[in-house]
Amino acid sequence: MSDAASPYLATADFEWTERAFRLLESQQLTVSLHSAGDVPAYVVSGPCPRCGHPFTDRQVLVALAGLSGPDRQGHGGAAPAAVVLDVTCGCGSAHDDAPEGTTGCGASFRIELVAE
């Protein structure tokens, strides 16, 4: 894990995605599904892969149906094979050099889940 006193840096380096994957494997970083009717929402929580501070990120997935064209049976577009969550640290800790009003260390990473 990186130094917890990491200065703010807006970065989407693949290193943070790799570290997030290792945190998911060790169950330190978790993703849970919370649905309201047909609208899926995900909660990502645990330590930031860059600064190590705990954070919680909530995302509601919004999709437009039928844009990919009909499938072989003439139905709407096929269901996605994976769910992609783009997450940015929002740990709430003060990081040196952070723009005013900004929370987190600036690291962004991607989590890809296999759709059930």
Side-chain angles (χ1 to χ4, degrees):
M1 199 66 45
S2 292
D3 179 14
S6 302
Y8 179 87
L9 177 64
T11 174
D13 191 302
F14 189 66
E15 175 183 1
W16 314 125
T17 294
E18 290 175 325
R19 287 186 185 189
F21 179 74
R22 288 193 300 273
L23 289 167
L24 284 165
E25 282 186 317
S26 67
Q27 298 179 350
Q28 294 176 65
L29 188 64
T30 62
V31 179
S32 55
L33 172 64
H34 301 274
S35 295
D38 291 337
V39 180
Y42 292 87
V43 177
V44 180
S45 60
C48 169
R50 179 172 179 259
C51 71
H53 294 137
F55 76 96
T56 300
D57 181 83
R58 293 171 181 85
Q59 296 189 25
V60 176
L61 298 187
V62 178
L64 300 175
L67 294 180
S68 63
D71 62 17
R72 293 180 190 204
Q73 289 78 34
H75 301 100
V83 173
V84 176
L85 303 173
D86 289 319
V87 181
T88 299
C89 175
C91 68
S93 297
H95 287 270
D96 290 342
D97 302 325
E100 188 174 330
T102 300
T103 62
C105 71
S108 295
F109 55 95
R110 177 165 280 181
I111 295 175
E112 188 170 322
L113 308 170
V114 176
E116 296 179 9

